[in-house]
Amino acid sequence: MTAEPNLGLLCFFPYRALEGRVLAALAEAGFDDLTVAQGRIAARVGESGTRLTELAEQAQVTKQTAGFLVDQLERAGYVHRVPDPTDGRARLVCFGERGRAAVAVARRVEAEVEAEWTAHLGEETTRALREALTRLREVTDPWR
Amino acid sequence: MTAEPNLGLLCFFPYRALEGRVLAALAEAGFDDLTVAQGRIAARVGESGTRLTELAEQAQVTKQTAGFLVDQLERAGYVHRVPDPTDGRARLVCFGERGRAAVAVARRVEAEVEAEWTAHLGEETTRALREALTRLREVTDPWR
DNA sequence: ACAGTATCGTCAGAGAGGCTGACCATCGTC
DNA sequence: GACGATGGTCAGCCTCTCTGACGATACTGT
């Protein structure tokens, strides 16, 4: 462990750093009731709404857990559920006003952090990093 | 979210994939009582022993949580605590027989996965990826 | 030497996150 | 229309993680 870290662990540091920065910024912006787990679910809600099952699969938790977290997000006013017009069983989790506002903050911080990283690594290296990670996703992300 | 993922999220996929693979392999090799949280602590135990506080800081949990997890690792026979000869307050968490065996399995799987990734990306890209991530660590890892 | 402070670790209590199993409603298909 | 598959919920349980308080040892300055 103290030797040279493997690629997976090396990937972990930036991820954790970004997540921490985003969550801290959200808290500072008044969205201080968001937890890490809620954020991981919320981050996967699409503009046109997303099914609970899909959220669960992408976040790699059971649908029960996802439902539990969406309940909280709903109670806190970030999202709401609407019936899926194409499937009577399903409901779509959609962002509300507050959710959209939080997403805007998150997006801004993500861009900030990425700019810092680019400043540290240089334009070209960052581009290559993104390219490599995107290709690596093909074999590490079961979701597309 | 469904647009182009940010660098942090792109980093997440390989990390999660590796962690899952290692944990699955450990379970298959008979170390099926290891949990993710325990693994994250154990992964930070050095050959010559590591203090609880240090484990907690690196894993970014409180020392109470780290202590809780080390208790379990100790009960399961992976690690044991020895007094720190240089500090009467401290104790060092060290690997035992079983812990070392599990580490060996983990190392093997890490190498396997990295080989797969290298096969997918190519030697040169992988080398550049590691280089970029290592430099990125300088600004994203509070621990060296 | 000793008073004060910092650090290492533990105990106790509480809450959040996550799982398995069981279940109902609806969809899609034969 | 019967039946397996899918979307989601309810209930119960366990693990993880935190805050707060505390004892013990180390370090620092006078």
Side-chain angles (χ1 to χ4, degrees), chain B residues 94-111:
Chain B
C94 299
F95 280 124
E97 282 304 310
R98 189 159 188 236
R100 255 179 263 277
V103 168
V105 172
R107 288 283 178 281
R108 184 169 53 69
V109 177
E110 284 168 12

Side-chain angles (χ1 to χ4, degrees), chain A:
Chain A
M1 163 72 205
T2 39
E4 71 287 350
N6 60 64
L7 274 180
L9 189 55
L10 281 175
C11 282
F12 179 60
F13 300 119
Y15 165 68
R16 181 171 65 178
L18 177 68
E19 190 174 69
R21 287 279 295 270
V22 169
L23 224 65
L26 283 168
E28 201 172 350
F31 307 109
D32 55 348
D33 51 350
L34 269 177
T35 68
V36 180
Q38 288 168 21
R40 287 182 187 160
I41 291 291
R44 286 161 171 91
V45 173
E47 260 314 300
S48 51
T50 308
R51 290 187 185 183
L52 186 65
T53 302
E54 202 172 337
L55 292 177
E57 285 171 337
Q58 291 187 23
Q60 296 202 353
V61 296
T62 59
K63 46 188 184 171
Q64 291 92 326
T65 298
F68 174 74
L69 294 168
V70 168
D71 282 347
Q72 299 177 140
L73 288 169
E74 195 167 23
R75 240 178 286 122
Y78 289 104
V79 302
H80 54 103
R81 289 168 159 115
V82 300
D84 185 333
T86 74
D87 190 331
R89 299 165 298 180
R91 298 201 282 167
L92 295 174
V93 178
C94 299
F95 281 123
E97 282 304 310
R98 189 159 188 238
R100 255 179 263 278
V103 168
V105 172
R107 287 284 178 281
R108 184 169 52 68
V109 177
E110 284 168 13
E112 272 175 30
V113 170
E114 215 161 301
E116 290 174 27
W117 292 357
T118 304
H120 183 73
L121 293 178
E123 290 276 355
E124 181 51 32
T125 302
T126 304
R127 197 203 51 71
L129 174 62
R130 175 184 299 281
E131 156 95 22
L133 287 172
T134 301
R135 283 182 52 205
L136 201 47
R137 183 183 182 187
E138 297 163 7
V139 290
T140 55
D141 183 13
W143 295 98
R144 112 193 258 188

Side-chain angles (χ1 to χ4, degrees), chain B residues 46-124:
Chain B
E47 261 314 299
S48 52
T50 308
R51 289 187 185 183
L52 186 66
T53 302
E54 202 173 337
L55 292 178
E57 286 170 337
Q58 291 189 21
Q60 295 201 355
V61 295
T62 60
K63 46 187 185 170
Q64 292 92 325
T65 298
F68 174 75
L69 294 168
V70 168
D71 282 346
Q72 299 178 133
L73 288 169
E74 195 168 21
R75 239 178 287 121
Y78 290 104
V79 303
H80 53 103
R81 290 167 159 114
V82 299
D84 185 335
T86 74
D87 190 332
R89 297 165 300 179
R91 297 201 283 167
L92 295 173
V93 177
C94 299
F95 280 124
E97 282 304 310
R98 189 159 188 236
R100 255 179 263 277
V103 168
V105 172
R107 288 283 178 281
R108 184 169 53 69
V109 177
E110 284 168 12
E112 271 175 32
V113 171
E114 217 162 299
E116 289 174 27
W117 291 358
T118 304
H120 183 72
L121 293 177
E123 290 277 353
E124 181 50 33

